[in-house]
Amino acid sequence: MSEINFITIIIAFYLRKPLGLEKSPNRWRSLFTSIMFAAGTLIVMKAVSDGFTLILMAGTFSLISTLIFMVFKYPEFHFRKNLVFALLPLIITNALSQIAELINESWYAKWSAYFETAGIFAFLWAIAMWIINRRQAKALEKEQQKAIIREREYLIAAKVKDELEIQVAERTKEITKQKEELEAALEVLRSTQDQLIQSEKMASLGELTAGIAHEIQNPLNFVNNFSEVSNELIQEIKEELSKAPAERDQELIEEIFSDVADNLSKITYHGKRADAIVKGMLQHSRTSSGVKELTDINELADEYLRLAYHGLRAKDKTFNADFQTDFDDLLPKVEVISQDFGRVLLNLVNNAFYAVNEKKLKIKADNLGEEYKPFVKITTRRNRNKIQIKVEDNGMGMPDAVKQKIFQPFFTTKPTGQGTGLGMSLSYDIIKSHGGDIQVQSEDGKGTQILIELPT
């Protein structure tokens, strides 16, 4: 039993000073001191008297059991589990030996050699584990020393940080003042930019209006002509109906009614055509609603191609160019903001017509004498899950240096007064807002192709 009491003292001693770097709380320290004193008392009692065996054994097992329970019960003592595991075989073999000797001394005498052998192995196990634990404890102590050093370094860094924060606060104050000045200047620039964007929209509206004035004349002429013809046919019907019933040509009357009906249907068709053109102009002039709707891209492209051409013709009577369309008849309708996308098409087509006209004027000015036919074409195709719209021309083309800048705001190759440089920038933003992409292929002096891709 004395061996177990010695083990009790060892465990209690190490529990008083966790990790060897700090003390246990007072409530635990006093308890462990009491346990050590009790274990020492039991050792003395065992040494001076052979009596009270059961009482001494009960006290011994109570003390060691209390310590083992505390190590496994309370998290703050879990770090001593390795110590308990090292000594546990020795505790168990010693306890079994004591109990066996107390219960049956003759049986114990017969098997005492085995108990002694088990005790030796348990002792060797305790020594080996003790050495390992000491090494681990020393390594842990070194880590804690490093942690203390790191803590000191952290405090020094915190002090430096406070000093830097004061400097940063002063610098931030200066930067804030500069920021406010820059924001004021930026606000002026934004106001100027908004005015330029509005100017760009009004310029495109003017070009569109000129085209519409020419384009709307055709359906109006049809309406006027068919109206006059219908009036003449109605007069013929009146003359025929004024005759006696026997003299009327019923077949002629039915034929005239059929012609009138055909004329009225044509009047309706061309009236709707004129109405669509007017609505297109109104949509172009209004601020975008931001609402996407299913739109026939072929119809939209055809509309703006012809309006752009007639708009340029209205401004310059000498302007002339061939234009073609190659539309995919099976092209599905696409959800777009028609007003915004119409502006994109109008801008691209206007640029194409401008490029071919500039090339024509250059050839004429240089007296090159080569035969040149200005040409602009719009093509639509469906490529898997995308809609492709290609605007191509055989105009001046662009060098690589210009191609890299055409989507930059305010960049333009046109003379002052003929362009703000916002058309391609706005077109790029509109296409990106629709989830699409725009690519430019151009060869200086030979022409340009601009490809738009939209998701279906």
Side-chain angles (χ1 to χ4, degrees):
M1 284 185 291
S2 297
E3 292 87 346
I4 296 178
N5 286 319
F6 277 117
I7 293 172
T8 301
I9 294 172
I10 292 171
I11 295 175
F13 174 78
Y14 279 100
L15 288 177
R16 287 184 60 191
K17 297 178 65 177
L19 300 179
L21 294 175
E22 58 184 11
K23 294 183 178 180
S24 301
N26 289 330
R27 62 191 180 93
W28 295 123
R29 195 160 62 250
S30 60
L31 174 63
F32 296 141
T33 302
S34 300
I35 291 175
M36 292 170 63
F37 179 78
T41 302
L42 292 175
I43 292 173
V44 172
M45 291 177 65
K46 177 64 177 175
V48 300
S49 175
D50 291 333
F52 309 105
T53 302
L54 287 175
I55 296 174
L56 294 174
M57 186 177 294
T60 299
F61 289 154
S62 297
L63 293 177
I64 193 66
S65 299
T66 300
L67 290 179
I68 293 174
F69 173 77
M70 291 178 67
V71 169
F72 287 94
K73 172 67 175 178
Y74 298 103
E76 56 263 43
F77 301 123
H78 285 177
F79 68 94
R80 290 303 182 193
K81 282 184 179 180
N82 290 337
L83 177 62
V84 172
F85 283 133
L87 298 173
L88 194 59
L90 193 60
I91 296 171
I92 294 172
T93 54
N94 197 279
L96 291 175
S97 176
Q98 294 292 331
I99 294 172
E101 185 179 5
L102 180 65
I103 296 174
N104 192 332
E105 188 173 351
S106 60
W107 181 87
Y108 171 75
K110 180 179 179 181
W111 294 94
S112 60
Y114 292 98
F115 282 107
E116 291 175 359
T117 302
I120 293 171
F121 279 111
F123 181 73
L124 294 175
W125 166 268
I127 292 175
M129 292 300 295
W130 179 270
I131 294 171
I132 293 172
N133 289 335
R134 286 296 298 170
R135 289 178 179 176
Q136 291 177 346
K138 288 180 179 179
L140 189 57
E141 287 179 5
K142 289 181 180 179
E143 288 298 322
Q144 286 196 335
Q145 291 294 340
K146 291 179 181 179
I148 292 172
I149 294 172
R150 286 195 296 267
E151 179 68 19
R152 290 173 182 170
E153 291 175 348
Y154 172 78
L155 293 175
I156 294 172
K159 183 178 179 181
V160 174
K161 173 176 169 288
D162 292 338
E163 295 175 354
L164 289 175
E165 283 181 349
I166 295 173
Q167 297 177 10
V168 169
E170 294 174 354
R171 182 58 180 160
T172 301
K173 186 177 180 180
E174 296 177 7
I175 293 174
T176 302
K177 183 179 178 181
Q178 295 175 0
K179 173 176 170 287
E180 291 173 352
E181 294 174 352
L182 289 173
E183 284 179 347
L186 180 60
E187 189 62 32
V188 174
L189 287 175
R190 282 176 178 168
S191 177
T192 305
Q193 182 179 359
D194 290 341
Q195 292 175 9
L196 287 170
I197 291 173
Q198 187 63 28
S199 174
E200 177 73 17
K201 290 182 179 179
M202 294 305 296
S204 64
L205 178 61
E207 294 172 357
L208 181 63
T209 304
I212 287 173
H214 184 280
E215 186 70 12
I216 203 172
Q217 190 64 44
N218 290 330
L220 288 178
N221 287 338
F222 278 108
V223 170
N224 292 333
N225 292 337
F226 284 118
S227 296
E228 292 175 3
V229 173
S230 296
N231 281 329
E232 293 174 1
L233 292 174
I234 290 172
Q235 291 299 324
E236 290 182 17
I237 291 174
K238 287 181 178 180
E239 292 175 2
E240 194 67 26
L241 291 176
S242 65
K243 298 178 182 179
E247 298 177 358
R248 295 174 186 170
D249 187 345
Q250 191 64 31
E251 185 177 347
L252 176 61
I253 293 173
E254 292 177 359
E255 184 179 344
I256 293 173
F257 272 123
S258 177
D259 290 341
V260 171
D262 288 341
N263 289 344
L264 291 175
S265 65
K266 291 176 182 177
I267 290 171
T268 301
Y269 170 78
H270 290 289
K272 289 181 179 180
R273 173 66 182 152
D275 180 63
I277 294 171
V278 173
K279 285 181 178 178
M281 181 184 70
L282 293 175
Q283 287 179 346
H284 188 83
S285 63
R286 290 175 187 150
T287 302
S288 171
S289 63
V291 178
K292 293 182 179 180
E293 54 187 3
L294 286 174
T295 303
D296 188 332
I297 296 296
N298 289 342
E299 183 179 326
L300 196 68
D302 182 65
E303 180 105 11
Y304 281 92
L305 174 63
R306 286 184 289 102
L307 292 177
Y309 175 77
H310 291 304
L312 292 172
R313 286 277 296 171
K315 290 196 301 183
D316 183 4
K317 298 298 182 183
T318 63
F319 171 78
N320 193 20
D322 290 333
F323 59 88
Q324 291 183 5
T325 58
D326 182 10
F327 294 149
D328 185 350
D329 295 332
L330 300 179
L331 202 69
K333 291 186 176 182
V334 184
E335 282 195 349
V336 296
I337 304 173
S338 57
Q339 302 99 311
D340 289 350
F341 205 74
R343 290 192 180 102
V344 173
L345 293 173
L346 182 65
N347 180 68
L348 297 183
V349 173
N350 276 336
N351 287 344
F353 279 132
Y354 177 84
V356 297
N357 192 49
E358 286 296 300
K359 185 173 182 179
K360 181 179 179 181
L361 294 175
K362 186 176 185 302
I363 291 173
K364 184 177 179 181
D366 294 343
N367 293 319
L368 299 178
E370 63 180 271
E371 185 178 353
Y372 172 68
K373 293 182 179 180
F375 177 74
V376 175
K377 182 179 180 181
I378 296 184
T379 304
T380 61
R381 290 288 184 272
R382 179 173 186 176
N383 184 10
R384 296 182 182 177
N385 60 339
K386 293 183 179 180
I387 298 295
Q388 294 182 334
I389 307 158
K390 183 166 65 175
V391 179
E392 55 185 314
D393 64 73
N394 62 344
M396 294 293 292
M398 293 178 286
D400 291 338
V402 173
K403 271 195 300 184
Q404 294 173 2
K405 298 179 181 179
I406 61 171
F407 296 121
Q408 294 179 7
F410 308 111
F411 175 79
T412 180
T413 57
K414 296 178 181 179
T416 304
Q418 294 191 28
T420 62
L422 289 172
M424 291 301 292
S425 175
L426 290 173
S427 298
Y428 180 86
D429 292 340
I430 291 171
I431 291 169
K432 288 297 182 181
S433 68
H434 284 77
D437 189 29
I438 182 170
Q439 301 174 11
V440 179
Q441 294 181 354
S442 184
E443 188 174 351
D444 193 13
K446 293 188 177 181
T448 301
Q449 290 185 1
I450 297 181
L451 178 66
I452 300 172
E453 289 186 333
L454 295 175
T456 55

